[in-house]
PDB file of all heavy atoms in Angstrom:
ATOM      1  N   ALA K   1       0.814  -1.214   0.001  1.00 85.00           N
ATOM      2  CA  ALA K   1      -0.002   0.001   0.003  1.00 85.00           C
ATOM      3  C   ALA K   1       0.848   1.260  -0.003  1.00 85.00           C
ATOM      4  O   ALA K   1       0.457   2.288  -0.566  1.00 85.00           O
ATOM      5  CB  ALA K   1      -0.937  -0.003   1.213  1.00 85.00           C
ATOM      6  N   LEU K   2       2.005   1.208   0.636  1.00 83.00           N
ATOM      7  CA  LEU K   2       2.863   2.383   0.734  1.00 83.00           C
ATOM      8  C   LEU K   2       3.708   2.608  -0.512  1.00 83.00           C
ATOM      9  O   LEU K   2       4.258   3.708  -0.693  1.00 83.00           O
ATOM     10  CB  LEU K   2       3.768   2.275   1.964  1.00 83.00           C
ATOM     11  CG  LEU K   2       3.043   2.289   3.336  1.00 83.00           C
ATOM     12  CD1 LEU K   2       4.050   2.077   4.456  1.00 83.00           C
ATOM     13  CD2 LEU K   2       2.262   3.575   3.526  1.00 83.00           C
ATOM     14  N   HIS K   3       3.812   1.612  -1.401  1.00 87.00           N
ATOM     15  CA  HIS K   3       4.699   1.731  -2.555  1.00 87.00           C
ATOM     16  C   HIS K   3       4.016   1.460  -3.903  1.00 87.00           C
ATOM     17  O   HIS K   3       4.554   1.836  -4.934  1.00 87.00           O
ATOM     18  CB  HIS K   3       5.895   0.774  -2.404  1.00 87.00           C
ATOM     19  CG  HIS K   3       6.756   1.078  -1.219  1.00 87.00           C
ATOM     20  ND1 HIS K   3       6.589   0.455   0.002  1.00 87.00           N
ATOM     21  CD2 HIS K   3       7.777   1.969  -1.062  1.00 87.00           C
ATOM     22  CE1 HIS K   3       7.486   0.935   0.856  1.00 87.00           C
ATOM     23  NE2 HIS K   3       8.193   1.857   0.254  1.00 87.00           N
ATOM     24  N   ASP K   4       2.854   0.830  -3.915  1.00 87.00           N
ATOM     25  CA  ASP K   4       2.171   0.511  -5.155  1.00 87.00           C
ATOM     26  C   ASP K   4       1.463   1.748  -5.713  1.00 87.00           C
ATOM     27  O   ASP K   4       0.738   2.445  -5.010  1.00 87.00           O
ATOM     28  CB  ASP K   4       1.146  -0.612  -4.907  1.00 87.00           C
ATOM     29  CG  ASP K   4       0.510  -1.142  -6.185  1.00 87.00           C
ATOM     30  OD1 ASP K   4      -0.290  -0.412  -6.788  1.00 87.00           O
ATOM     31  OD2 ASP K   4       0.802  -2.281  -6.568  1.00 87.00           O
ATOM     32  N   ASP K   5       1.689   2.027  -7.007  1.00 88.00           N
ATOM     33  CA  ASP K   5       1.133   3.227  -7.630  1.00 88.00           C
ATOM     34  C   ASP K   5      -0.387   3.268  -7.546  1.00 88.00           C
ATOM     35  O   ASP K   5      -0.974   4.334  -7.409  1.00 88.00           O
ATOM     36  CB  ASP K   5       1.572   3.317  -9.097  1.00 88.00           C
ATOM     37  CG  ASP K   5       3.049   3.666  -9.240  1.00 88.00           C
ATOM     38  OD1 ASP K   5       3.635   4.180  -8.261  1.00 88.00           O
ATOM     39  OD2 ASP K   5       3.615   3.403 -10.333  1.00 88.00           O
ATOM     40  N   TYR K   6      -1.030   2.100  -7.658  1.00 88.00           N
ATOM     41  CA  TYR K   6      -2.489   2.054  -7.601  1.00 88.00           C
ATOM     42  C   TYR K   6      -2.976   2.582  -6.244  1.00 88.00           C
ATOM     43  O   TYR K   6      -3.890   3.434  -6.181  1.00 88.00           O
ATOM     44  CB  TYR K   6      -2.993   0.634  -7.829  1.00 88.00           C
ATOM     45  CG  TYR K   6      -4.501   0.469  -7.642  1.00 88.00           C
ATOM     46  CD1 TYR K   6      -5.379   0.755  -8.672  1.00 88.00           C
ATOM     47  CD2 TYR K   6      -5.020   0.045  -6.419  1.00 88.00           C
ATOM     48  CE1 TYR K   6      -6.744   0.618  -8.515  1.00 88.00           C
ATOM     49  CE2 TYR K   6      -6.383  -0.097  -6.238  1.00 88.00           C
ATOM     50  CZ  TYR K   6      -7.244   0.190  -7.279  1.00 88.00           C
ATOM     51  OH  TYR K   6      -8.603   0.061  -7.102  1.00 88.00           O
ATOM     52  N   PHE K   7      -2.394   2.060  -5.178  1.00 86.00           N
ATOM     53  CA  PHE K   7      -2.807   2.476  -3.835  1.00 86.00           C
ATOM     54  C   PHE K   7      -2.462   3.944  -3.580  1.00 86.00           C
ATOM     55  O   PHE K   7      -3.252   4.671  -2.974  1.00 86.00           O
ATOM     56  CB  PHE K   7      -2.147   1.584  -2.785  1.00 86.00           C
ATOM     57  CG  PHE K   7      -2.701   0.215  -2.708  1.00 86.00           C
ATOM     58  CD1 PHE K   7      -2.224  -0.795  -3.541  1.00 86.00           C
ATOM     59  CD2 PHE K   7      -3.715  -0.103  -1.819  1.00 86.00           C
ATOM     60  CE1 PHE K   7      -2.737  -2.074  -3.486  1.00 86.00           C
ATOM     61  CE2 PHE K   7      -4.244  -1.390  -1.761  1.00 86.00           C
ATOM     62  CZ  PHE K   7      -3.757  -2.366  -2.603  1.00 86.00           C
ATOM     63  N   ILE K   8      -1.309   4.365  -4.060  1.00 85.00           N
ATOM     64  CA  ILE K   8      -0.886   5.756  -3.856  1.00 85.00           C
ATOM     65  C   ILE K   8      -1.823   6.710  -4.593  1.00 85.00           C
ATOM     66  O   ILE K   8      -2.263   7.714  -4.026  1.00 85.00           O
ATOM     67  CB  ILE K   8       0.572   5.946  -4.297  1.00 85.00           C
ATOM     68  CG1 ILE K   8       1.510   5.118  -3.412  1.00 85.00           C
ATOM     69  CG2 ILE K   8       0.950   7.428  -4.275  1.00 85.00           C
ATOM     70  CD1 ILE K   8       2.945   5.079  -3.903  1.00 85.00           C
ATOM     71  N   SER K   9      -2.159   6.376  -5.834  1.00 87.00           N
ATOM     72  CA  SER K   9      -3.032   7.246  -6.634  1.00 87.00           C
ATOM     73  C   SER K   9      -4.441   7.313  -6.072  1.00 87.00           C
ATOM     74  O   SER K   9      -5.095   8.352  -6.141  1.00 87.00           O
ATOM     75  CB  SER K   9      -3.074   6.770  -8.090  1.00 87.00           C
ATOM     76  OG  SER K   9      -3.675   5.474  -8.189  1.00 87.00           O
ATOM     77  N   LYS K  10      -4.916   6.217  -5.515  1.00 85.00           N
ATOM     78  CA  LYS K  10      -6.245   6.160  -4.919  1.00 85.00           C
ATOM     79  C   LYS K  10      -6.269   6.627  -3.465  1.00 85.00           C
ATOM     80  O   LYS K  10      -7.337   6.657  -2.852  1.00 85.00           O
ATOM     81  CB  LYS K  10      -6.794   4.726  -4.993  1.00 85.00           C
ATOM     82  CG  LYS K  10      -6.976   4.163  -6.400  1.00 85.00           C
ATOM     83  CD  LYS K  10      -8.167   4.716  -7.084  1.00 85.00           C
ATOM     84  CE  LYS K  10      -8.437   4.040  -8.417  1.00 85.00           C
ATOM     85  NZ  LYS K  10      -9.606   4.634  -9.111  1.00 85.00           N
ATOM     86  N   LYS K  11      -5.058   6.957  -2.943  1.00 83.00           N
ATOM     87  CA  LYS K  11      -4.923   7.373  -1.548  1.00 83.00           C
ATOM     88  C   LYS K  11      -5.438   6.311  -0.581  1.00 83.00           C
ATOM     89  O   LYS K  11      -6.063   6.597   0.434  1.00 83.00           O
ATOM     90  CB  LYS K  11      -5.630   8.717  -1.317  1.00 83.00           C
ATOM     91  CG  LYS K  11      -5.015   9.878  -2.092  1.00 83.00           C
ATOM     92  CD  LYS K  11      -5.714  11.180  -1.794  1.00 83.00           C
ATOM     93  CE  LYS K  11      -5.007  12.367  -2.414  1.00 83.00           C
ATOM     94  NZ  LYS K  11      -4.527  12.288  -3.702  1.00 83.00           N
ATOM     95  N   LEU K  12      -5.139   5.048  -0.920  1.00 86.00           N
ATOM     96  CA  LEU K  12      -5.517   3.917  -0.073  1.00 86.00           C
ATOM     97  C   LEU K  12      -4.360   3.581   0.858  1.00 86.00           C
ATOM     98  O   LEU K  12      -3.714   2.548   0.746  1.00 86.00           O
ATOM     99  CB  LEU K  12      -5.914   2.716  -0.952  1.00 86.00           C
ATOM    100  CG  LEU K  12      -7.166   2.904  -1.818  1.00 86.00           C
ATOM    101  CD1 LEU K  12      -7.372   1.692  -2.718  1.00 86.00           C
ATOM    102  CD2 LEU K  12      -8.379   3.107  -0.921  1.00 86.00           C
ATOM    103  N   TYR K  13      -4.090   4.469   1.785  1.00 84.00           N
ATOM    104  CA  TYR K  13      -3.037   4.315   2.755  1.00 84.00           C
ATOM    105  C   TYR K  13      -3.532   3.492   3.948  1.00 84.00           C
ATOM    106  O   TYR K  13      -4.736   3.462   4.234  1.00 84.00           O
ATOM    107  CB  TYR K  13      -2.568   5.688   3.237  1.00 84.00           C
ATOM    108  CG  TYR K  13      -3.762   6.552   3.611  1.00 84.00           C
ATOM    109  CD1 TYR K  13      -4.383   6.434   4.853  1.00 84.00           C
ATOM    110  CD2 TYR K  13      -4.299   7.447   2.683  1.00 84.00           C
ATOM    111  CE1 TYR K  13      -5.496   7.179   5.161  1.00 84.00           C
ATOM    112  CE2 TYR K  13      -5.432   8.189   2.988  1.00 84.00           C
ATOM    113  CZ  TYR K  13      -6.021   8.044   4.225  1.00 84.00           C
ATOM    114  OH  TYR K  13      -7.146   8.767   4.538  1.00 84.00           O
ATOM    115  N   PRO K  14      -2.646   2.797   4.687  1.00 84.00           N
ATOM    116  CA  PRO K  14      -3.091   2.107   5.896  1.00 84.00           C
ATOM    117  C   PRO K  14      -3.619   3.114   6.912  1.00 84.00           C
ATOM    118  O   PRO K  14      -2.982   4.123   7.173  1.00 84.00           O
ATOM    119  CB  PRO K  14      -1.811   1.425   6.398  1.00 84.00           C
ATOM    120  CG  PRO K  14      -0.895   1.363   5.216  1.00 84.00           C
ATOM    121  CD  PRO K  14      -1.207   2.568   4.398  1.00 84.00           C
ATOM    122  N   ASN K  15      -4.812   2.859   7.452  1.00 82.00           N
ATOM    123  CA  ASN K  15      -5.408   3.803   8.393  1.00 82.00           C
ATOM    124  C   ASN K  15      -5.284   3.311   9.836  1.00 82.00           C
ATOM    125  O   ASN K  15      -4.658   2.286  10.107  1.00 82.00           O
ATOM    126  CB  ASN K  15      -6.854   4.096   8.022  1.00 82.00           C
ATOM    127  CG  ASN K  15      -7.731   2.834   8.016  1.00 82.00           C
ATOM    128  OD1 ASN K  15      -7.488   1.888   8.766  1.00 82.00           O
ATOM    129  ND2 ASN K  15      -8.748   2.826   7.176  1.00 82.00           N
ATOM    130  N   VAL K  16      -5.878   4.043  10.752  1.00 83.00           N
ATOM    131  CA  VAL K  16      -5.747   3.725  12.171  1.00 83.00           C
ATOM    132  C   VAL K  16      -6.323   2.354  12.501  1.00 83.00           C
ATOM    133  O   VAL K  16      -5.801   1.640  13.368  1.00 83.00           O
ATOM    134  CB  VAL K  16      -6.412   4.838  13.027  1.00 83.00           C
ATOM    135  CG1 VAL K  16      -7.935   4.809  12.860  1.00 83.00           C
ATOM    136  CG2 VAL K  16      -6.039   4.691  14.500  1.00 83.00           C
ATOM    137  N   ASP K  17      -7.380   1.943  11.793  1.00 82.00           N
ATOM    138  CA  ASP K  17      -7.978   0.639  12.053  1.00 82.00           C
ATOM    139  C   ASP K  17      -7.035  -0.499  11.672  1.00 82.00           C
ATOM    140  O   ASP K  17      -6.986  -1.535  12.339  1.00 82.00           O
ATOM    141  CB  ASP K  17      -9.304   0.505  11.294  1.00 82.00           C
ATOM    142  CG  ASP K  17     -10.339   1.504  11.727  1.00 82.00           C
ATOM    143  OD1 ASP K  17     -10.587   1.589  12.942  1.00 82.00           O
ATOM    144  OD2 ASP K  17     -10.891   2.211  10.872  1.00 82.00           O
ATOM    145  N   PHE K  18      -6.280  -0.289  10.594  1.00 83.00           N
ATOM    146  CA  PHE K  18      -5.330  -1.306  10.146  1.00 83.00           C
ATOM    147  C   PHE K  18      -4.275  -1.560  11.224  1.00 83.00           C
ATOM    148  O   PHE K  18      -4.050  -2.705  11.627  1.00 83.00           O
ATOM    149  CB  PHE K  18      -4.663  -0.862   8.855  1.00 83.00           C
ATOM    150  CG  PHE K  18      -3.688  -1.848   8.276  1.00 83.00           C
ATOM    151  CD1 PHE K  18      -4.129  -2.952   7.564  1.00 83.00           C
ATOM    152  CD2 PHE K  18      -2.329  -1.679   8.453  1.00 83.00           C
ATOM    153  CE1 PHE K  18      -3.220  -3.879   7.043  1.00 83.00           C
ATOM    154  CE2 PHE K  18      -1.416  -2.594   7.934  1.00 83.00           C
ATOM    155  CZ  PHE K  18      -1.871  -3.693   7.231  1.00 83.00           C
ATOM    156  N   TYR K  19      -3.666  -0.503  11.717  1.00 84.00           N
ATOM    157  CA  TYR K  19      -2.590  -0.668  12.703  1.00 84.00           C
ATOM    158  C   TYR K  19      -3.109  -1.085  14.073  1.00 84.00           C
ATOM    159  O   TYR K  19      -2.460  -1.869  14.767  1.00 84.00           O
ATOM    160  CB  TYR K  19      -1.769   0.602  12.798  1.00 84.00           C
ATOM    161  CG  TYR K  19      -0.949   0.866  11.558  1.00 84.00           C
ATOM    162  CD1 TYR K  19      -1.173   2.002  10.779  1.00 84.00           C
ATOM    163  CD2 TYR K  19       0.056  -0.002  11.172  1.00 84.00           C
ATOM    164  CE1 TYR K  19      -0.418   2.241   9.634  1.00 84.00           C
ATOM    165  CE2 TYR K  19       0.818   0.228  10.023  1.00 84.00           C
ATOM    166  CZ  TYR K  19       0.573   1.355   9.272  1.00 84.00           C
ATOM    167  OH  TYR K  19       1.317   1.582   8.139  1.00 84.00           O
ATOM    168  N   SER K  20      -4.265  -0.554  14.473  1.00 85.00           N
ATOM    169  CA  SER K  20      -4.796  -0.960  15.776  1.00 85.00           C
ATOM    170  C   SER K  20      -5.170  -2.434  15.777  1.00 85.00           C
ATOM    171  O   SER K  20      -4.983  -3.143  16.787  1.00 85.00           O
ATOM    172  CB  SER K  20      -6.010  -0.098  16.168  1.00 85.00           C
ATOM    173  OG  SER K  20      -7.108  -0.291  15.302  1.00 85.00           O
ATOM    174  N   GLY K  21      -5.677  -2.936  14.631  1.00 85.00           N
ATOM    175  CA  GLY K  21      -5.969  -4.350  14.519  1.00 85.00           C
ATOM    176  C   GLY K  21      -4.723  -5.201  14.690  1.00 85.00           C
ATOM    177  O   GLY K  21      -4.753  -6.250  15.361  1.00 85.00           O
ATOM    178  N   ILE K  22      -3.601  -4.766  14.087  1.00 85.00           N
ATOM    179  CA  ILE K  22      -2.333  -5.485  14.217  1.00 85.00           C
ATOM    180  C   ILE K  22      -1.886  -5.509  15.684  1.00 85.00           C
ATOM    181  O   ILE K  22      -1.470  -6.557  16.199  1.00 85.00           O
ATOM    182  CB  ILE K  22      -1.248  -4.828  13.339  1.00 85.00           C
ATOM    183  CG1 ILE K  22      -1.571  -5.028  11.853  1.00 85.00           C
ATOM    184  CG2 ILE K  22       0.106  -5.386  13.656  1.00 85.00           C
ATOM    185  CD1 ILE K  22      -0.633  -4.298  10.915  1.00 85.00           C
ATOM    186  N   ILE K  23      -1.963  -4.372  16.347  1.00 89.00           N
ATOM    187  CA  ILE K  23      -1.527  -4.282  17.749  1.00 89.00           C
ATOM    188  C   ILE K  23      -2.364  -5.195  18.629  1.00 89.00           C
ATOM    189  O   ILE K  23      -1.827  -5.967  19.439  1.00 89.00           O
ATOM    190  CB  ILE K  23      -1.619  -2.814  18.244  1.00 89.00           C
ATOM    191  CG1 ILE K  23      -0.603  -1.952  17.522  1.00 89.00           C
ATOM    192  CG2 ILE K  23      -1.385  -2.765  19.760  1.00 89.00           C
ATOM    193  CD1 ILE K  23      -0.758  -0.465  17.805  1.00 89.00           C
ATOM    194  N   LEU K  24      -3.672  -5.108  18.498  1.00 91.00           N
ATOM    195  CA  LEU K  24      -4.547  -5.893  19.378  1.00 91.00           C
ATOM    196  C   LEU K  24      -4.360  -7.382  19.129  1.00 91.00           C
ATOM    197  O   LEU K  24      -4.392  -8.177  20.072  1.00 91.00           O
ATOM    198  CB  LEU K  24      -5.997  -5.463  19.148  1.00 91.00           C
ATOM    199  CG  LEU K  24      -6.323  -4.000  19.527  1.00 91.00           C
ATOM    200  CD1 LEU K  24      -7.736  -3.647  19.149  1.00 91.00           C
ATOM    201  CD2 LEU K  24      -6.097  -3.762  21.014  1.00 91.00           C
ATOM    202  N   LYS K  25      -4.189  -7.762  17.873  1.00 88.00           N
ATOM    203  CA  LYS K  25      -3.926  -9.161  17.556  1.00 88.00           C
ATOM    204  C   LYS K  25      -2.627  -9.627  18.203  1.00 88.00           C
ATOM    205  O   LYS K  25      -2.562 -10.718  18.785  1.00 88.00           O
ATOM    206  CB  LYS K  25      -3.861  -9.339  16.032  1.00 88.00           C
ATOM    207  CG  LYS K  25      -3.356 -10.721  15.557  1.00 88.00           C
ATOM    208  CD  LYS K  25      -4.335 -11.832  15.891  1.00 88.00           C
ATOM    209  CE  LYS K  25      -3.831 -13.165  15.359  1.00 88.00           C
ATOM    210  NZ  LYS K  25      -4.736 -14.289  15.758  1.00 88.00           N
ATOM    211  N   ALA K  26      -1.583  -8.801  18.101  1.00 90.00           N
ATOM    212  CA  ALA K  26      -0.275  -9.167  18.662  1.00 90.00           C
ATOM    213  C   ALA K  26      -0.345  -9.293  20.186  1.00 90.00           C
ATOM    214  O   ALA K  26       0.281 -10.189  20.768  1.00 90.00           O
ATOM    215  CB  ALA K  26       0.763  -8.122  18.273  1.00 90.00           C
ATOM    216  N   ILE K  27      -1.107  -8.432  20.851  1.00 92.00           N
ATOM    217  CA  ILE K  27      -1.221  -8.468  22.300  1.00 92.00           C
ATOM    218  C   ILE K  27      -1.954  -9.732  22.760  1.00 92.00           C
ATOM    219  O   ILE K  27      -1.754 -10.212  23.887  1.00 92.00           O
ATOM    220  CB  ILE K  27      -1.925  -7.201  22.817  1.00 92.00           C
ATOM    221  CG1 ILE K  27      -1.019  -5.979  22.618  1.00 92.00           C
ATOM    222  CG2 ILE K  27      -2.289  -7.316  24.297  1.00 92.00           C
ATOM    223  CD1 ILE K  27      -1.662  -4.655  22.988  1.00 92.00           C
ATOM    224  N   GLY K  28      -2.772 -10.299  21.879  1.00 91.00           N
ATOM    225  CA  GLY K  28      -3.530 -11.480  22.227  1.00 91.00           C
ATOM    226  C   GLY K  28      -4.995 -11.228  22.513  1.00 91.00           C
ATOM    227  O   GLY K  28      -5.692 -12.088  23.055  1.00 91.00           O
ATOM    228  N   ILE K  29      -5.467 -10.049  22.117  1.00 93.00           N
ATOM    229  CA  ILE K  29      -6.866  -9.706  22.304  1.00 93.00           C
ATOM    230  C   ILE K  29      -7.697 -10.291  21.168  1.00 93.00           C
ATOM    231  O   ILE K  29      -7.360 -10.076  20.000  1.00 93.00           O
ATOM    232  CB  ILE K  29      -7.037  -8.190  22.396  1.00 93.00           C
ATOM    233  CG1 ILE K  29      -6.377  -7.683  23.687  1.00 93.00           C
ATOM    234  CG2 ILE K  29      -8.509  -7.783  22.368  1.00 93.00           C
ATOM    235  CD1 ILE K  29      -6.294  -6.182  23.804  1.00 93.00           C
ATOM    236  N   PRO K  30      -8.747 -11.055  21.465  1.00 92.00           N
ATOM    237  CA  PRO K  30      -9.539 -11.674  20.395  1.00 92.00           C
ATOM    238  C   PRO K  30     -10.250 -10.642  19.539  1.00 92.00           C
ATOM    239  O   PRO K  30     -10.570  -9.548  20.007  1.00 92.00           O
ATOM    240  CB  PRO K  30     -10.543 -12.554  21.165  1.00 92.00           C
ATOM    241  CG  PRO K  30     -10.622 -11.952  22.514  1.00 92.00           C
ATOM    242  CD  PRO K  30      -9.262 -11.379  22.804  1.00 92.00           C
ATOM    243  N   THR K  31     -10.499 -11.009  18.303  1.00 89.00           N
ATOM    244  CA  THR K  31     -11.110 -10.089  17.355  1.00 89.00           C
ATOM    245  C   THR K  31     -12.442  -9.542  17.850  1.00 89.00           C
ATOM    246  O   THR K  31     -12.769  -8.374  17.629  1.00 89.00           O
ATOM    247  CB  THR K  31     -11.306 -10.803  15.997  1.00 89.00           C
ATOM    248  OG1 THR K  31     -10.070 -11.369  15.566  1.00 89.00           O
ATOM    249  CG2 THR K  31     -11.781  -9.818  14.936  1.00 89.00           C
ATOM    250  N   SER K  32     -13.213 -10.361  18.524  1.00 90.00           N
ATOM    251  CA  SER K  32     -14.529  -9.935  19.010  1.00 90.00           C
ATOM    252  C   SER K  32     -14.455  -8.799  20.009  1.00 90.00           C
ATOM    253  O   SER K  32     -15.443  -8.106  20.262  1.00 90.00           O
ATOM    254  CB  SER K  32     -15.266 -11.120  19.649  1.00 90.00           C
ATOM    255  OG  SER K  32     -14.549 -11.627  20.765  1.00 90.00           O
ATOM    256  N   MET K  33     -13.268  -8.572  20.594  1.00 94.00           N
ATOM    257  CA  MET K  33     -13.083  -7.511  21.581  1.00 94.00           C
ATOM    258  C   MET K  33     -12.610  -6.195  20.978  1.00 94.00           C
ATOM    259  O   MET K  33     -12.544  -5.188  21.677  1.00 94.00           O
ATOM    260  CB  MET K  33     -12.084  -7.953  22.661  1.00 94.00           C
ATOM    261  CG  MET K  33     -12.626  -8.906  23.704  1.00 94.00           C
ATOM    262  SD  MET K  33     -13.862  -8.142  24.756  1.00 94.00           S
ATOM    263  CE  MET K  33     -12.892  -6.881  25.592  1.00 94.00           C
ATOM    264  N   PHE K  34     -12.273  -6.197  19.684  1.00 91.00           N
ATOM    265  CA  PHE K  34     -11.703  -4.986  19.097  1.00 91.00           C
ATOM    266  C   PHE K  34     -12.632  -3.777  19.229  1.00 91.00           C
ATOM    267  O   PHE K  34     -12.222  -2.693  19.624  1.00 91.00           O
ATOM    268  CB  PHE K  34     -11.354  -5.232  17.622  1.00 91.00           C
ATOM    269  CG  PHE K  34     -10.147  -6.066  17.383  1.00 91.00           C
ATOM    270  CD1 PHE K  34      -9.519  -6.757  18.410  1.00 91.00           C
ATOM    271  CD2 PHE K  34      -9.628  -6.189  16.106  1.00 91.00           C
ATOM    272  CE1 PHE K  34      -8.395  -7.538  18.171  1.00 91.00           C
ATOM    273  CE2 PHE K  34      -8.503  -6.965  15.863  1.00 91.00           C
ATOM    274  CZ  PHE K  34      -7.891  -7.651  16.907  1.00 91.00           C
ATOM    275  N   THR K  35     -13.893  -3.967  18.849  1.00 92.00           N
ATOM    276  CA  THR K  35     -14.844  -2.847  18.883  1.00 92.00           C
ATOM    277  C   THR K  35     -15.141  -2.435  20.318  1.00 92.00           C
ATOM    278  O   THR K  35     -15.389  -1.257  20.595  1.00 92.00           O
ATOM    279  CB  THR K  35     -16.141  -3.223  18.156  1.00 92.00           C
ATOM    280  OG1 THR K  35     -15.841  -3.854  16.909  1.00 92.00           O
ATOM    281  CG2 THR K  35     -16.983  -1.983  17.877  1.00 92.00           C
ATOM    282  N   VAL K  36     -15.092  -3.369  21.234  1.00 95.00           N
ATOM    283  CA  VAL K  36     -15.287  -3.048  22.656  1.00 95.00           C
ATOM    284  C   VAL K  36     -14.199  -2.086  23.126  1.00 95.00           C
ATOM    285  O   VAL K  36     -14.466  -1.104  23.834  1.00 95.00           O
ATOM    286  CB  VAL K  36     -15.277  -4.329  23.513  1.00 95.00           C
ATOM    287  CG1 VAL K  36     -15.342  -3.987  24.996  1.00 95.00           C
ATOM    288  CG2 VAL K  36     -16.428  -5.250  23.113  1.00 95.00           C
ATOM    289  N   ILE K  37     -12.962  -2.355  22.729  1.00 95.00           N
ATOM    290  CA  ILE K  37     -11.843  -1.476  23.115  1.00 95.00           C
ATOM    291  C   ILE K  37     -12.005  -0.100  22.469  1.00 95.00           C
ATOM    292  O   ILE K  37     -11.716   0.928  23.107  1.00 95.00           O
ATOM    293  CB  ILE K  37     -10.517  -2.145  22.717  1.00 95.00           C
ATOM    294  CG1 ILE K  37     -10.260  -3.340  23.658  1.00 95.00           C
ATOM    295  CG2 ILE K  37      -9.352  -1.153  22.754  1.00 95.00           C
ATOM    296  CD1 ILE K  37      -9.131  -4.222  23.232  1.00 95.00           C
ATOM    297  N   PHE K  38     -12.487  -0.051  21.236  1.00 94.00           N
ATOM    298  CA  PHE K  38     -12.832   1.202  20.592  1.00 94.00           C
ATOM    299  C   PHE K  38     -13.848   1.961  21.453  1.00 94.00           C
ATOM    300  O   PHE K  38     -13.700   3.166  21.711  1.00 94.00           O
ATOM    301  CB  PHE K  38     -13.389   0.919  19.197  1.00 94.00           C
ATOM    302  CG  PHE K  38     -13.534   2.107  18.286  1.00 94.00           C
ATOM    303  CD1 PHE K  38     -13.460   1.924  16.919  1.00 94.00           C
ATOM    304  CD2 PHE K  38     -13.767   3.409  18.763  1.00 94.00           C
ATOM    305  CE1 PHE K  38     -13.590   2.999  16.038  1.00 94.00           C
ATOM    306  CE2 PHE K  38     -13.898   4.484  17.882  1.00 94.00           C
ATOM    307  CZ  PHE K  38     -13.832   4.281  16.534  1.00 94.00           C
ATOM    308  N   ALA K  39     -14.859   1.265  21.934  1.00 96.00           N
ATOM    309  CA  ALA K  39     -15.897   1.887  22.764  1.00 96.00           C
ATOM    310  C   ALA K  39     -15.333   2.445  24.071  1.00 96.00           C
ATOM    311  O   ALA K  39     -15.748   3.505  24.533  1.00 96.00           O
ATOM    312  CB  ALA K  39     -17.015   0.884  23.052  1.00 96.00           C
ATOM    313  N   VAL K  40     -14.385   1.710  24.667  1.00 97.00           N
ATOM    314  CA  VAL K  40     -13.759   2.179  25.893  1.00 97.00           C
ATOM    315  C   VAL K  40     -13.077   3.540  25.646  1.00 97.00           C
ATOM    316  O   VAL K  40     -13.270   4.497  26.387  1.00 97.00           O
ATOM    317  CB  VAL K  40     -12.739   1.163  26.425  1.00 97.00           C
ATOM    318  CG1 VAL K  40     -11.957   1.740  27.607  1.00 97.00           C
ATOM    319  CG2 VAL K  40     -13.443  -0.123  26.863  1.00 97.00           C
ATOM    320  N   GLY K  41     -12.273   3.599  24.582  1.00 97.00           N
ATOM    321  CA  GLY K  41     -11.582   4.845  24.268  1.00 97.00           C
ATOM    322  C   GLY K  41     -12.523   5.970  23.898  1.00 97.00           C
ATOM    323  O   GLY K  41     -12.297   7.131  24.284  1.00 97.00           O
ATOM    324  N   ARG K  42     -13.577   5.671  23.173  1.00 97.00           N
ATOM    325  CA  ARG K  42     -14.487   6.691  22.663  1.00 97.00           C
ATOM    326  C   ARG K  42     -15.469   7.214  23.718  1.00 97.00           C
ATOM    327  O   ARG K  42     -16.076   8.251  23.524  1.00 97.00           O
ATOM    328  CB  ARG K  42     -15.259   6.143  21.440  1.00 97.00           C
ATOM    329  CG  ARG K  42     -16.224   7.098  20.752  1.00 97.00           C
ATOM    330  CD  ARG K  42     -15.550   8.411  20.277  1.00 97.00           C
ATOM    331  NE  ARG K  42     -14.419   8.180  19.423  1.00 97.00           N
ATOM    332  CZ  ARG K  42     -14.491   8.006  18.088  1.00 97.00           C
ATOM    333  NH1 ARG K  42     -15.663   8.059  17.471  1.00 97.00           N
ATOM    334  NH2 ARG K  42     -13.379   7.807  17.376  1.00 97.00           N
ATOM    335  N   THR K  43     -15.581   6.531  24.850  1.00 98.00           N
ATOM    336  CA  THR K  43     -16.548   6.921  25.880  1.00 98.00           C
ATOM    337  C   THR K  43     -16.379   8.374  26.290  1.00 98.00           C
ATOM    338  O   THR K  43     -17.355   9.112  26.437  1.00 98.00           O
ATOM    339  CB  THR K  43     -16.430   6.004  27.110  1.00 98.00           C
ATOM    340  OG1 THR K  43     -16.812   4.679  26.732  1.00 98.00           O
ATOM    341  CG2 THR K  43     -17.337   6.478  28.246  1.00 98.00           C
TER     342      THR K  43
END
């Protein structure tokens, strides 16, 4: 996404959801909890 002309031209850059998903997966948090954690922060 950071180097392919198609993604660059379409401005399809990795967003906050992409990286937060990677972090939460690495920590060991199950996918079903991702939106819950979003809700905690957004409260």
Side-chain angles (χ1 to χ4, degrees):
L2 295 176
H3 297 95
D4 187 289
D5 289 341
Y6 174 84
F7 287 86
I8 295 171
S9 64
K10 298 283 187 182
K11 296 182 172 43
L12 295 175
Y13 48 82
N15 59 31
V16 69
D17 297 308
F18 181 80
Y19 291 117
S20 65
I22 291 175
I23 293 171
L24 296 175
K25 170 68 178 176
I27 292 175
I29 292 172
T31 307
S32 61
M33 283 293 296
F34 285 11
T35 314
V36 175
I37 289 169
F38 192 152
V40 172
R42 182 56 55 86
T43 295

